[in-house]
Amino acid sequence: MTNDDASGEFEEFEVIPAVDIQDGEVVQLVQGERGTEKTYGDPVEAARRWIDAGARTLHLVDLDGAFEGERQNADAIDAVIDAVDVPTQLGGGIRTAEGAIGLLERGVDRVILGTAAVENPDIVAEISESYPDSVVVSLDAKDGEVVVEGWTEGAGISPVEAAQRYDDLGAAAILFTNVDVEGQLEGVATDPVRELVDATDIPVIASGGVATLEDVRALEGTGAAAVVVGSALYEGNFTLAEARAAIDVEE
């Protein structure tokens, strides 16, 4: 897939499967903590499974890269990019504009910047100048505070305050992960998502805590543009087709 096909706009609410990679395998973590992972096998097999089920976008994360501050699972991610024909968005360990642009040239459609964008918002504009609509800013929050460095350090700013920095910098979307509920399969918190949607004109992709079809509907109701789903799909709480059908019922 080439980034030429990427778009900065979501035409309708989208359910995006997560392919989070640690040590070359698909895993899901609880609240982003190492040692809590459950393993779900080969990334390429997972990616193909979600595409066969109707996924229109894949959400890829180099978890080791997020923790270590530099990419660690390049081979596994390259294999997924080569194997799929839908747009991909990739995060984890992308810390420089040069690194981000290299990934876009490699075939990733969107790069997800967390720590780098929070610490240096202008990096979003720098990348977007060459590749418009290619940067997703990841704002991950614990207890209402943005966290960076693999969710280990507080940034001293709220998600709403952070999001407003990117309105004029060319961000294609904000990926908002509520770490308080991430990976627990205990439901979503809609208020923080709605607050973020209301505070910015940038499309918001919600992530964290989705356990049921009702959670998917609830996040659609916040005005979010999309939701990333991981554990609920891997554990079989519902299928991707069921999630998409649930949204269609609401439209």
Side-chain angles (χ1 to χ4, degrees):
M1 192 70 193
T2 67
N3 56 313
D4 293 336
D5 296 318
S7 170
E9 297 181 1
F10 293 81
E11 294 182 1
E12 56 188 21
F13 188 80
E14 190 171 346
V15 180
I16 304 174
V19 181
D20 297 350
I21 302 172
Q22 179 175 282
D23 294 328
E25 293 189 299
V26 176
V27 305
Q28 288 288 291
L29 305 181
V30 177
Q31 292 187 297
E33 295 183 6
R34 276 177 159 173
T36 64
E37 63 268 7
K38 188 168 182 180
T39 304
Y40 296 96
D42 179 70
V44 170
E45 291 179 5
R48 285 177 171 155
R49 184 164 72 249
W50 300 135
I51 292 170
D52 289 344
R56 291 178 294 172
T57 304
L58 289 178
H59 177 82
L60 311 177
V61 179
D62 182 340
L63 289 172
D64 298 301
F67 286 111
E68 303 299 334
E70 58 183 353
R71 296 184 63 219
Q72 301 289 320
N73 287 283
D75 289 346
I77 288 162
D78 282 348
V80 172
I81 294 168
D82 288 340
V84 305
D85 59 357
V86 302
T88 56
Q89 55 188 40
L90 170 65
I94 306 169
R95 294 291 194 266
T96 67
E98 182 182 15
I101 289 170
L103 289 166
L104 293 166
E105 290 175 346
R106 170 65 180 82
V108 173
D109 293 271
R110 289 178 173 175
V111 289
I112 303 168
L113 301 183
T115 300
V118 172
E119 294 181 347
N120 175 25
D122 288 338
I123 192 175
V124 177
E126 185 179 350
I127 298 165
S128 299
E129 202 172 310
S130 300
Y131 288 91
D133 296 326
S134 69
V135 180
V136 176
V137 175
S138 177
L139 298 178
D140 309 324
K142 277 184 182 179
D143 298 322
E145 179 186 12
V146 172
V147 288
V148 294
E149 301 293 349
W151 300 349
T152 62
E153 296 181 14
I157 189 171
S158 75
V160 165
E161 290 170 323
Q164 290 170 341
R165 296 172 169 177
Y166 305 102
D167 274 332
D168 298 320
L169 295 175
I174 299 289
L175 172 67
F176 175 66
T177 301
N178 190 335
V179 182
D180 296 326
V181 297
E182 168 69 16
Q184 297 188 72
L185 289 176
E186 294 180 358
V188 298
T190 55
D191 286 348
V193 179
R194 186 175 288 106
E195 184 180 8
L196 193 56
V197 169
D198 291 344
T200 179
D201 292 330
I202 304 170
V204 174
I205 303 169
S207 175
V210 174
T212 65
L213 294 175
E214 288 70 25
D215 291 331
V216 175
R217 292 192 193 99
L219 288 171
E220 184 197 25
T222 66
V227 59
V228 173
V229 184
S231 297
L233 287 174
Y234 286 98
E235 286 296 309
N237 289 24
F238 53 80
T239 67
L240 184 58
E242 287 170 341
R244 294 181 66 185
I247 297 307
D248 288 340
V249 167
E250 295 296 300
E251 290 176 353

